[in-house]
Amino acid sequence: MNEAKSVFFDLFNPDEALNLLIRAQLMQALEAALKTRFKTQQEAAEHLGISQERVSNLYRGKIQLFTIDNLVNLLAKAGKQVEFNIKEAA
């Protein structure tokens, strides 16, 4: 997702906006992986070792309840690998 097209940059300072954007992208990827692999939130929760309520919070986009670290770990448990690039600031 292009930073210029994210509403986060309209609402938050650049550092916070970038963190929110990364978390949103990770959450979307995790939700997509879980919905294609599991029929129910309970099945997904059992596989990830978390509560069904936690999966529900993910599906409802409760971004404030998830850290980048946590999302990367959950994606790994869901069989996904996260890659990232670091570049010079503009």
Side-chain angles (χ1 to χ4, degrees):
M1 182 178 285
N2 185 334
E3 293 175 9
K5 294 182 181 179
S6 173
V7 68
F8 293 127
F9 290 89
D10 293 335
L11 301 174
F12 300 96
N13 72 58
D15 292 337
E16 188 174 0
L18 183 57
N19 184 285
L20 288 166
L21 178 61
I22 291 168
R23 283 192 281 164
Q25 291 172 336
L26 293 170
M27 288 177 75
Q28 288 171 346
L30 180 56
E31 180 179 354
L34 295 177
K35 285 185 173 181
T36 60
R37 191 166 173 193
F38 302 103
K39 291 182 181 182
T40 68
Q41 289 183 10
Q42 187 60 41
E43 288 175 341
E46 288 172 7
H47 179 79
L48 297 175
I50 60 175
S51 69
Q52 180 275 325
E53 180 181 5
R54 191 94 168 118
V55 174
S56 178
N57 287 333
L58 172 76
Y59 286 10
R60 292 184 306 163
K62 300 281 186 163
I63 197 167
Q64 71 278 11
L65 300 178
F66 295 88
T67 64
I68 291 172
D69 237 22
N70 182 239
L71 291 165
V72 168
N73 291 334
L74 291 173
L75 279 159
K77 288 181 180 180
K80 299 295 181 180
Q81 179 178 332
V82 176
E83 294 181 4
F84 64 95
N85 294 309
I86 300 172
K87 61 183 181 180
E88 293 295 324

